[in-house]
Amino acid sequence: MWKQVIVIRQDLRMSKGKTAAQVAHASLEAYKKSSLEDQIEWEAWGSKKVVLKIKTLHEIITLQKAAAKARVPNALIKDAGHTEVEPGTVTALGIGPCSEDEIDHITGHLQML
Amino acid sequence: MWKQVIVIRQDLRMSKGKTAAQVAHASLEAYKKSSLEDQIEWEAWGSKKVVLKIKTLHEIITLQKAAAKARVPNALIKDAGHTEVEPGTVTALGIGPCSEDEIDHITGHLQML
């Protein structure tokens, strides 16, 4: 199975609307970095998206490095900071689409939002 | 200014994680239906995304028809229904990217999530 995972920071205490917008940014930017083959495979699996939570900036940066090391497409989102958070704040990380095995190796320890 | 609007149903009382996933589905699917010109213009404006709320299925269908009539790219999302809602439930609508004027003509009366 192919899937995409979006990791969102909980420590920023963003609203439901702000959270949703950050998740959408991360999903789209990671998608744009993925290969056409992965995009097609993912769509065949229903474009599965899973939203996970993380507690700190340090943890999200560590995850991004793990994804990059594994050569899994990923996109770290820095918010423009018009509302709720300071400009340049890292809010979310999109990982994939790629195979579930590859993603779970990186994010398998995290909980659903 | 170019933007994308994602409208989410409030009457389904979805969780924060479920809401975020539906918004990401709507954002990506509407993006895929948009022209390359609109995609490039939108990225130049920072890929602005706005999440709005709506109360009923009837209202979201009415909005989708208005977007279609105005020839604005749009994507109505029906959830597979693995969690929280019944299979086939309409959860969200992505509109654009396109010019702010065109979108506001359709969604200007709605409130932020």
Side-chain angles (χ1 to χ4, degrees):
Chain A
M1 183 182 287
W2 255 239
K3 71 178 177 184
Q4 184 184 57
V5 161
I6 302 105
V7 181
I8 187 96
R9 277 179 67 187
Q10 285 298 282
D11 56 320
L12 298 174
R13 299 178 183 279
M14 293 178 285
S15 68
K16 205 169 188 174
K18 184 83 182 176
T19 297
Q22 301 304 309
V23 167
H25 286 314
S27 172
L28 180 57
E29 296 308 316
Y31 171 84
K32 289 197 285 190
K33 289 183 175 180
S34 65
S35 69
L36 185 59
E37 289 77 8
D38 278 334
Q39 292 175 3
I40 291 169
E41 187 75 27
W42 183 47
E43 284 171 27
W45 285 102
S47 303
K48 184 180 179 185
K49 299 177 186 71
V50 179
V51 184
L52 303 175
K53 57 186 175 182
I54 206 164
K55 282 182 191 163
T56 66
L57 174 63
H58 177 75
E59 283 178 273
I60 204 165
I61 298 290
T62 302
L63 269 189
Q64 192 273 328
K65 287 180 179 169
K69 194 176 175 187
R71 299 192 181 183
V72 171
N74 67 87
L76 197 64
I77 301 302
K78 288 183 189 174
D79 193 62
H82 299 302
T83 56
E84 296 192 30
V85 300
E86 290 298 310
T89 303
V90 170
T91 55
L93 172 68
I95 306 176
C98 70
S99 77
E100 189 153 49
D101 285 350
E102 283 183 281
I103 292 203
D104 287 349
H105 190 69
I106 301 166
T107 64
H109 60 296
L110 298 175
Q111 289 189 315
M112 302 268 287
L113 175 63
Chain B
M1 183 184 287
W2 255 241
K3 71 178 176 184
Q4 184 185 56
V5 161
I6 302 104
V7 181
I8 187 95
R9 276 179 67 187
Q10 284 298 282
D11 55 318
L12 298 174
R13 299 178 183 280
M14 294 179 284
S15 68
K16 204 169 188 174
K18 184 82 182 175
T19 296
Q22 300 304 309
V23 167
H25 286 314
S27 173
L28 180 57
E29 296 308 317
Y31 171 83
K32 288 197 288 190
K33 289 183 176 180
S34 64
S35 70
L36 185 60
E37 289 76 10
D38 279 334
Q39 292 175 2
I40 291 169
E41 188 74 26
W42 183 47
E43 283 171 27
W45 286 103
S47 304
K48 184 179 178 185
K49 297 176 187 72
V50 179
V51 184
L52 304 175
K53 57 187 175 182
I54 205 163
K55 281 181 191 165
T56 65
L57 173 63
H58 177 76
E59 284 177 273
I60 205 166
I61 298 290
T62 301
L63 270 189
Q64 192 275 326
K65 287 179 179 170
K69 193 177 175 186
R71 300 191 180 185
V72 172
N74 67 88
L76 198 64
I77 301 302
K78 289 183 189 176
D79 193 62
H82 299 303
T83 57
E84 296 192 31
V85 299
E86 291 299 310
T89 303
V90 170
T91 55
L93 172 68
I95 305 176
C98 70
S99 76
E100 188 153 51
D101 286 349
E102 283 183 281
I103 292 202
D104 286 350
H105 190 69
I106 301 166
T107 64
H109 61 296
L110 299 175
Q111 290 190 315
M112 302 266 289
L113 176 63

